[in-house]
C-alpha cells in the first residue's frame, strides 16, 4: 500500500496521537497534520507531551504551557507541557490550602515529598489528562493533535490512568509517595475520562510513526501490540522517510533503498495488519511552515548539482584517536546520550564490541525503557556481557527487599499500609534508579557502557539523585546504599565517567544535544566529546536528493566542530545496517576513511 498521508488527515478523528521510536519524525508529521487541518478551516490545538520537546524549533515560534497562536497558520495553536513547570504548579496546588493550617515543619515535609521525579511525571500527566479527559478544556478546538514522547515514555503515559486509578481504589491510608492522596483523588474522574477517550475509536486515532528500518518497525509493532492490549485499537501506521533511488547505478543510493525494502519485507505481515501510509524522504530539514506543508502536499524540495559534498569543518578528530582516549583509563563508565533516534544504542554497542575486541572486560547495559541493545548486538562477543535494567524485575526485587526488611517486624495493619505505599507507580522509578546506581558502581574495575534513555529520562535520573535519597529512606527505613550515595560523585568524576553526546548532522538533534550539554554542565558533569552519526557528507553519490541532504549537513557539522564541542568525531552513513558485531565494528573502520 502506498497511500499518501493526506488521506489519513482527511479522515481525522478529534484526538490524534503520533507515537513511535525516537527520531522517526513524530514531531514533523504531527506539525504537518495540525497545519493541514488548520489550513482546511479547523481550529486545532497541537500539544507536545515530550519532556525534550522541539516544537518551538520546528514551528519557528516560542512556546510555553499556554496555547499560543502560530503565525502563518490560521486557527492553529500549540503548547508544550513542561514537566518542571507542571510540577511546581502541582506542588502549589496541593500545599497552598494547608498554609496557615499546618505547622511550617509539616508544610516543608509535604514539599519535600512532592519534589521527586514521580511528582514531575504525575504533574505533567495531570496536564495531559486535562486536555484529553476534561471536554471543557478543549471545547474551543475541532482537533487536538498530540506529539508524544518516544515510545517508552508514551506507554508509561498511557498506562498511568489505570495505574493511579487502581492505587486510589486500594489505598486507604490517605498518603503516598506523592504526599496526601486527596489532591490526586480530585483528578480521578479526569484520569478515567482520559482512559475512556483513548479507547474510543470514534474520538481517538493512534498513529504509529516508523522509518523503513528494522529497529523502528520492531518498536512500532511492539507498541501496536501493547496499545491493543490496553484497548487502544484505532491505530494507523505512517512510514516516514521512504527513499527511492533516482539512479540504480549509484551504490550509496541503491544501498539505502535496499535497506528500506529489506526492512519492509521482514515486517510484511505487520504492515498488512493495519492501514498504513507513506511519506517520502525529504532533501531538506523540516523546519518552518512551508517545509511542513510540503510533507502533505507532496511538493519536492529543491536539489542541487554536484557529485559529492565534503565537510567544511576542520576540527573533527579521527575515530581512532577518539576511541584510544576513551580506552586509556582501562576502566570506567561510558554513557551515550542525546535525542531519541540519533543512534545512541548503535554507538554504545559498537564501542562495547570494540573495547571487548581490544581485550577489555566490558558490560553493556541500558536504562532505556524501550531497550534495543540486544537486538542491535545480535550475537555474543568474547569479554562482553549484556544486560537490561528491567523495570518489572527490579520493582519486584525492591518490593520483596523492603517487605523482608522493614515489613518483617510490623503488625498486620502497619504492613498493609506499607504494601499500599509500594503499589504506587513511583516504586518502579525508585527500583530502576537503584539498579542504575548499582550498574555505574561496576565500573570500578572494568568498562561499563550505558546506552541511556532519551534525553528527558536521562536527565530525570541525573537531576533527582537527592530526591531518590529521600524516597529510599522514607520507604525502606534504612541507610542509603553506598552505590546510590556515590552516584553523583562518580558521574562528575571525568576519570570515572565519560559522557558521549550523540547527534545527527541536523538542526534539532544538534541543538538538543547542545541544551543537554548545558544541563550536564550545570549538574557538574563535563561531556567527554561529541559523535556526529550517519553523515552523508563526504560520501561519493550522484543521487540528487542525497547530495542535497549532504549539503544541508554542512552548517550543523561546522556548528558542532567550531562552537559546541571541545572534541568531536564523525561517523558516516554506511550501506550495511549496523546490526551484529561485524557490522558494528565496521562502523568505526569505514568512518576512518571518510572525507571530513
Amino acid at each position: 500500500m502506498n497511500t499518501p498521508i493526506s488521506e489519513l488527515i482527511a479522515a481525522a478523528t478529534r484526538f490524534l496521537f503520533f507515537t513511535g521510536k525516537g527520531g522517526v519524525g513524530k514531531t514533523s508529521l504531527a506539525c504537518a497534520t495540525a497545519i493541514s487541518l488548520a489550513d482546511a478551516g479547523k481550529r486545532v490545538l497541537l500539544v507536545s507531551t515530550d519532556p525534550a520537546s522541539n516544537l518551538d524549533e520546528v514551528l519557528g515560534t516560542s512556546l510555553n504551557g499556554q496555547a499560543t497562536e502560530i503565525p502563518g497558520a490560521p486557527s492553529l495553536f500549540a503548547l508544550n507541557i513542561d514537566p518542571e513547570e507542571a510540577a511546581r504548579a502541582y506542588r502549589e496546588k496541593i500545599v497552598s490550602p494547608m498554609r496557615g493550617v499546618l505547622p511550617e515543619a509539616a508544610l516543608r515535609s509535604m514539599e519535600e515529598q512532592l519534589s521527586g521525579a514521580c511528582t514531575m511525571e504525575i504533574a505533567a500527566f495531570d496536564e495531559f489528562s486535562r486536555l484529553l479527559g476534561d471536554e471543557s478544556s478543549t471545547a474551543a478546538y475541532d482537533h487536538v493533535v498530540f506529539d508524544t514522547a518516544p515510545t517508552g515514555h508514551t506507554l508509561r503515559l498511557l498506562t498511568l490512568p489505570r495505574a493511579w486509578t487502581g492505587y486510589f481504589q486500594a489505598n486507604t491510608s490517605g498518603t503516598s509517595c506523592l504526599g496526601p492522596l486527596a489532591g490526586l483523588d480530585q483528578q480521578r474522574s479526569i484520569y478515567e475520562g482520559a482512559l475512556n477517550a483513548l479507547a474510543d475509536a470514534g474520538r481517538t486515532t493512534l498513529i504509529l510513526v516508523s522509518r523503513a528500518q528494522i529497529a523502528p518497525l520492531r518498536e512500532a509493532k511492539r507498541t501496536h501490540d501493547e496499545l491493543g492490549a490496553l484497548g487502544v485499537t484505532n491505530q494507523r501506521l505512517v512510514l516516514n522517510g521512504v527513499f527511492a533511488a533516482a539512479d540504480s547505478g549509484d551504490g550509496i543510493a541503491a544501498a539505502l533503498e535496499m535497506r528500506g525494502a529489506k526492512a519492509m519485507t521482514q515486517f510484511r505481515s505487520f504492515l498488512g495488519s493495519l492501514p498504513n501510509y507513506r511519506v517520502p524522504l525529504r532533501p531538506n530539514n523540516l523546519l518552518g511552515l512551508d517545509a511542513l506543508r510540503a510533507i502533505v502536499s507532496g511538493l519536492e524540495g529543491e536539489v542541487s548539482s554536484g557529485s559529492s559534498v565534503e565537510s567544511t569543518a576542520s576540527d573533527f578528530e579521527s575515530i581512532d584517536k577518539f576511541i584510544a582516549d576513551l580506552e586509556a583509563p582501562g576502566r570506567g563508565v561510558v554513557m551515550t546520550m542525546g535525542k531519541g533516534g540519533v543512534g545512541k544504542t548503535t554507538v554504545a554497542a559498537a564501542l562495547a564490541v570494540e573495547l571487548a575486541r581490544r581485550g577489555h572486560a566490558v558490560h553493556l547495559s541500558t536504562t532505556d525503557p524501550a531497550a534495543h541493545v540486544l537486538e542491535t548486538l545480535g550475537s555474543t562477543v568474547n569479554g562482553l556481557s549484556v544486560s537490561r535494567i528491567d523495570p518489572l524485575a527490579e520493582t519486584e526485587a525492591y518490593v520483596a527487599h523492603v517487605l523482608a526488611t522493614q515489613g518483617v517486624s510490623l503488625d498486620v495493619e502497619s504492613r498493609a499500609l506499607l504494601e499500599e505505599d509500594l503499589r504506587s507507580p513511583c516504586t518502579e522509578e525508585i527500583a530502576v534508579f537503584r539498579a542504575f546506581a548499582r550498574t555505574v558502581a561496576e565500573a570500578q574495575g572494568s568498562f561499563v557502557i550505558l546506552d541511556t534513555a532519551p534525553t528527558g529520562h536521562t536527565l530525570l535520573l541525573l537531576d533527582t539523585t537527592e530526591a531518590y535519597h529521600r524516597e529510599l529512606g522514607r520507604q525502606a527505613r534504612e541507610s542509603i546504599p553506598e552505590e546510590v550515595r556515590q552516584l553523583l560523585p562518580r558521574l562528575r568524576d571525568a576519570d570515572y565517567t565519560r559522557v558521549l553526546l550523540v547527534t545527527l548532522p541536523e538542526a534539532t538533534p544538534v541543538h538538543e544535544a547542545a541544551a543537554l550539554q548545558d544541563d550536564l554542565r550545570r549538574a557538574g558533569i563535563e561531556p567527554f566529546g561529541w559523535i556526529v552519526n550517519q553523515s552523508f557528507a563526504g560520501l561519493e553519490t550522484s543521487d540528487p536528493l542525497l547530495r542535497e541532504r549532504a549539503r544541508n549537513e554542512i552548517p550543523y557539522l561546522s556548528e558542532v566542530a567550531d562552537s559546541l564541542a571541545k572534541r568531536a568525531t564523525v561517523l558516516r552513513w554506511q550501506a550495511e545496517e549496523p546490526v551484529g558485531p561485524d557490522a558494528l565494528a565496521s562502523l568505526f573502520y569505514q568512518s576512518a576513511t571518510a572525507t571530513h
Side-chain angles (χ1 to χ4, degrees):
M1 181 186 297
N2 195 20
T3 309
I5 191 174
S6 57
E7 293 193 17
L8 171 63
I9 297 172
T13 53
R14 183 157 193 268
F15 297 111
L16 298 170
F17 280 82
F18 286 81
T19 188
K21 189 178 186 296
V24 294
K26 296 184 299 295
T27 298
S28 298
L29 291 176
C31 290
T33 298
I35 293 168
S36 181
L37 289 169
D39 286 347
K42 305 292 186 181
R43 284 181 63 85
V44 182
L45 178 63
L46 175 61
V47 181
S48 175
T49 64
D50 191 338
S53 172
N54 62 325
L55 272 187
D56 301 56
E57 184 166 32
V58 173
L59 293 172
T61 302
S62 180
L63 303 175
N64 53 37
Q66 303 299 316
T68 300
E69 188 170 8
I70 304 302
S75 304
L76 175 60
F77 298 78
L79 65 86
N80 283 321
I81 295 178
D82 182 337
E84 293 185 5
E85 180 58 37
R88 282 192 290 271
Y90 181 83
R91 277 194 298 273
E92 185 59 24
K93 181 174 69 175
I94 297 298
V95 175
S96 60
M98 303 298 173
R99 299 191 193 281
V101 177
L102 296 178
E104 280 298 317
L107 292 174
R108 284 195 299 272
S109 177
M110 286 177 64
E111 290 174 340
E112 187 171 291
Q113 278 190 298
L114 291 165
S115 64
C118 197
T119 302
M120 189 181 298
E121 182 180 35
I122 199 64
F125 186 73
D126 241 14
E127 294 297 306
F128 164 85
S129 295
R130 180 180 58 81
L131 295 170
L132 188 61
D134 180 1
E135 293 186 7
S136 65
S137 66
T138 58
Y141 304 99
D142 299 302
H143 297 279
V144 183
V145 180
F146 290 92
D147 168 32
T148 61
T151 306
H153 181 270
T154 300
L155 291 177
R156 177 80 170 146
L157 206 62
L158 297 181
T159 56
L160 267 174
R162 185 169 294 171
W164 284 108
T165 297
Y167 188 51
F168 294 147
Q169 292 171 346
N171 192 298
T172 59
S173 66
T175 62
S176 74
C177 58
L178 295 174
L181 273 179
L184 290 173
D185 200 32
Q186 294 170 5
Q187 301 298 106
R188 180 173 176 173
S189 63
I190 294 178
Y191 292 163
E192 291 172 342
L195 191 59
N196 290 336
L198 286 168
D200 185 347
R203 287 190 287 166
T204 300
T205 304
L206 197 292
I207 300 159
L208 303 163
V209 183
S210 180
R211 298 277 185 174
Q213 298 168 5
I214 291 173
L217 280 168
R218 182 188 296 118
E219 186 62 38
K221 184 180 185 306
R222 180 182 300 162
T223 305
H224 168 68
D225 295 341
E226 291 178 341
L227 290 173
L230 289 169
V232 182
T233 57
N234 189 21
Q235 300 182 31
R236 302 290 186 268
L237 174 69
V238 175
L239 279 179
N240 190 28
V242 178
F243 176 72
D247 178 5
S248 60
D250 183 292
I252 299 295
L256 181 58
E257 183 177 16
M258 181 60 68
R259 278 175 57 168
K262 181 179 177 182
M264 288 187 284
T265 298
Q266 181 173 328
F267 287 88
R268 183 188 294 113
S269 176
F270 171 53
L271 294 176
S273 68
L274 75 171
N276 57 87
Y277 307 81
R278 306 289 169 89
V279 177
L281 184 68
R282 309 292 300 181
N284 55 307
N285 282 294
L286 296 172
L287 300 176
L289 302 191
D290 290 342
L292 293 166
R293 285 189 171 105
I295 295 175
V296 179
S297 68
L299 292 176
E300 298 291 335
E302 293 185 5
V303 296
S304 304
S305 60
S307 60
S308 67
V309 179
E310 295 187 6
S311 169
T312 59
S314 59
D315 295 330
F316 288 106
E317 64 183 69
S318 71
I319 190 64
D320 288 341
K321 175 69 163 57
F322 200 86
I323 295 177
D325 288 351
L326 272 177
E327 179 191 17
R331 57 126 180 108
V333 175
V334 178
M335 299 174 66
T336 56
M337 302 177 73
K339 178 178 169 59
V342 297
K344 296 185 301 294
T345 298
T346 298
V347 170
L351 284 170
V353 168
E354 180 64 20
L355 290 172
R357 287 183 170 180
R358 295 186 182 198
H360 298 284
V362 182
H363 178 195
L364 173 62
S365 188
T366 182
T367 63
D368 193 334
H372 305 286
V373 166
L374 292 174
E375 293 96 334
T376 301
L377 190 61
S379 62
T380 59
V381 176
N382 289 337
L384 173 60
S385 62
V386 183
S387 71
R388 171 180 174 245
I389 297 176
D390 185 319
L392 181 60
E394 294 296 339
T395 302
E396 290 177 349
Y398 174 66
V399 169
H401 168 73
V402 173
L403 291 175
T405 52
Q406 183 189 343
V408 70
S409 60
L410 297 177
D411 58 37
V412 174
E413 183 178 352
S414 298
R415 185 180 175 89
L417 290 173
L418 176 60
E419 289 174 345
E420 287 173 358
D421 197 18
L422 290 170
R423 280 195 288 269
S424 157
C426 304
T427 299
E428 179 183 301
E429 295 283 352
I430 299 163
V432 169
F433 182 78
R434 282 168 56 109
F436 173 76
R438 194 165 59 244
T439 303
V440 167
E442 292 179 17
Q444 295 175 82
S446 63
F447 279 106
V448 172
I449 312 294
L450 274 168
D451 164 38
T452 59
T455 306
H457 184 268
T458 301
L459 289 175
L460 196 66
L461 290 174
L462 297 182
D463 285 351
T464 58
T465 303
E466 296 304 322
Y468 277 106
H469 282 186
R470 292 191 295 270
E471 191 61 25
L472 283 165
R474 188 187 67 79
Q475 275 195 342
R477 308 291 190 203
E478 60 184 25
S479 59
I480 305 302
E482 183 64 17
E483 62 266 21
V484 174
R485 194 181 304 279
Q486 292 298 322
L487 179 59
L488 263 184
R490 284 170 174 157
L491 293 177
R492 289 168 173 159
D493 182 352
D495 293 328
Y496 191 93
T497 298
R498 273 86 77 201
V499 172
L500 305 180
L501 296 175
V502 184
T503 186
L504 300 177
E506 300 171 10
T508 298
V510 165
H511 297 156
E512 189 162 314
L516 172 57
Q517 179 169 257
D518 291 341
D519 287 335
L520 289 169
R521 286 171 172 167
R522 279 193 290 272
I525 300 169
E526 181 63 33
F528 174 86
W530 288 51
I531 295 179
V532 183
N533 195 24
Q534 298 180 36
S535 174
F536 281 96
L539 293 177
E540 292 293 333
T541 177
S542 61
D543 188 273
L545 189 150
L546 296 185
R547 287 200 312 267
E548 189 63 23
R549 287 188 66 86
R551 185 167 284 103
N552 284 324
E553 290 179 5
I554 301 306
Y556 305 109
L557 289 168
S558 299
E559 186 177 2
V560 170
D562 299 338
S563 62
L564 293 176
K566 289 185 176 179
R567 63 187 303 175
T569 191
V570 176
L571 302 179
R572 65 174 177 170
W573 184 88
Q574 63 182 58
E576 183 181 2
E577 190 155 5
V579 175
D582 292 339
L584 288 166
S586 70
L587 184 67
F588 296 145
Y589 294 108
Q590 287 188 21
S591 292
T593 62
T595 305
H596 287 296

